[in-house]
Amino acid sequence: MKRIILCADDYSQSPAINRAILELVGMGRLDAVSSLTLSPTWHSDARNLKIAGSAQHGLHFNLTLPFSQPERRVSCILAAAMLGKLDRKMIRSAFEKQWNGYTRAMGSPPDFVDGHQHVHVFPTVRDVVMECLSEFGSKCWVRTLQPPVGLQSGPFKKHLLERMSRSLTDKLEEAGIATNQYFAGFRSYRSAGKFRQSFNRWINASDEPLLIMCHPGRPSSDLSDPIRESRVEEFHYLTSEYFRSDRKSALRSPLDSIFTEPAS
């Protein structure tokens, strides 16, 4: 039987996203939640998350969504990262601020770290994240983006992120930090009504342990969120009996069963 961990990203981005994620955690439909700690409502949102139900909680490291300030385009950050022109001190300051914001609100360090728009796999960013985790003596795991064999096709952006993630995987192993074995969740958010189809394609692609990201949300008029309609589709599916039946083939197992442990 397949071993799957379902992680919802973007908690604390907006009330509509929060409501959906909290409801899904309470229903036992999610295994992990990744949070944006720069949100102005993060501290109160953290209290709600802690009492919602059983799930692992992670830091969704964010460089592109400053909330009250203009959005930084992820393409600009990626271009600077590929050219080696990212400000390392700025990245470290941002990570420390978000890490400390997480630990203050949740009362403990995160169970895992990933990145909003996957910025944590970018060159320079991944080095800073690794450096901080080693200095903090963290026991958390870090999300990587390696797909199982059955999901290796896709657009150029997906392949680029996967290729950058392979370097992160190597660094994690060298540093003795755990990571997920395989990853799924990339899809076109313009394809309305296709989330169930995508989910079944992911879980049927491989018998290997699999981490799947999702982005559920309640209906919202927030025009700054380009995937707000897709979030509602995901939420409706994840609360449905279709999801329960589709996942019967997957073993809901302890989180540590999907990870690759670094070589000793």
Side-chain angles (χ1 to χ4, degrees), residues 140-160:
C140 72
W141 54 274
V142 178
R143 177 189 292 180
T144 52
L145 310 177
Q146 180 64 34
V149 173
L151 296 176
Q152 289 186 353
S153 62
F156 173 76
K157 177 182 176 181
K158 172 178 178 288
H159 287 296
L160 178 61

Side-chain angles (χ1 to χ4, degrees), residues 1-4 206-209 247-252:
M1 297 182 74
K2 303 178 184 69
R3 291 168 290 175
I4 292 174
S206 172
D207 289 330
E208 300 297 332
R247 192 169 171 171
K248 280 184 179 180
S249 63
L251 176 64
R252 196 179 184 82

